[in-house]
Amino acid sequence: MPDSSTLAESSKLVRSTTAVDVARILRDRILSGHYAEDQYIRQEMIAQELGVSRIPVREALAQLEAEGLVIREKYRGALIPKLSLSEIEEIYEMRGMIEPYLLRTAFSNITPEVIASLREVVDKSRVTDDMGEWAGLNMQFHYTLYGLAGRPLSLQILENLLVRADRYLKVQRFLSNETQKESDAEHQRILDLIEEGDEDGAIEALREHISWNAQDLRRTIGFNDAAPADKADKAKG
C-alpha cells in the first residue's frame, strides 16, 4: 500500500495535468475568437462546463494571464483584453531585437543539412492550401534556426511573444495568397544569404521580414497610421 507522501505526489501530478489541459482548451478558444473582447471568463462556469474543480481552472487562468491572454480581476473573473495597436508594436519591436540576436548566435551552427531541410520546409509551405499547416511550417522555419543558438531563456521569451502575436493573427480569419507568397519568398531570401555566408545580410533580411509582418498585420486587422485603435478609444473616453 503506497504511503501518504506517494499519494500526495500522485494527486499533485493529476491536478497539474488537468490545469495544463484546461489552459490548452481555454487558450485555443481565446485564439480562435470563441470569447469576445471585454468578455469575462468565470471559474465556476468553466469548471462546470469541463467537469473539473475550480482549482485547475484557477491555475490555468493564472498561466493564461502570464501569457497575456487574460486579465484576472478579483470577484469578476478573467477578462479577455481588447486588441491593442500598442501591444502589436511592442511585440514586434521585441521580436526585432530577440530574433536577430538568436540568428546571429546560431549562425555558425547552421549546417548545409539544416539549410537543405529548411528549403524543404519552404517548398512545402509554398504549395499547401491548409492554413493550419502553413502556420506550422512558418513556425518550424524560425524555431529550427533559433534552436541552434543554444539560448533557452531567449527562446522562452520569444515563445511568449509569439503566443501573444498569435491572437492577432487568428483574428485575421485568413491570410491572403499575397501574404503567403511574400512570407515564403522572404524565408527563401534569408536562407540564400545564410548559404552564402552573409551573416549581416541574413540578419538584415530577418529584420525586414519582421517589420513587414508587423505592417501586414496592422493593415489586415484594421489598425493604421491614420486612426490607431488605441488613440480612437482614448478619444472616445
Side-chain angles (χ1 to χ4, degrees), residues 135-197:
L137 291 167
N138 180 64
M139 296 306 301
Q140 183 181 348
F141 178 89
H142 286 279
Y143 274 121
T144 298
L145 287 175
Y146 306 150
L148 298 171
R151 296 292 188 272
L153 179 57
S154 296
L155 280 173
Q156 184 178 15
I157 294 171
L158 177 60
E159 184 175 1
N160 181 270
L161 291 173
L162 294 177
V163 167
R164 289 172 180 256
D166 197 38
R167 180 173 176 234
Y168 293 90
L169 295 172
K170 290 288 175 58
V171 299
Q172 288 179 268
R173 305 295 182 187
F174 62 90
L175 293 171
S176 68
N177 289 333
E178 291 74 17
T179 294
Q180 295 178 59
K181 289 177 181 178
E182 178 64 24
S183 182
D184 292 334
E186 291 182 3
H187 284 180
Q188 185 68 56
R189 172 149 180 74
I190 292 168
L191 279 181
D192 290 344
L193 291 166
I194 292 173
E195 190 167 40
E196 293 168 9

Side-chain angles (χ1 to χ4, degrees), residues 115-128:
I115 294 173
S117 69
L118 287 176
R119 290 197 185 281
E120 291 181 3
V121 170
V122 174
D123 289 342
K124 291 178 182 177
S125 182
R126 280 175 164 161
V127 300
T128 184

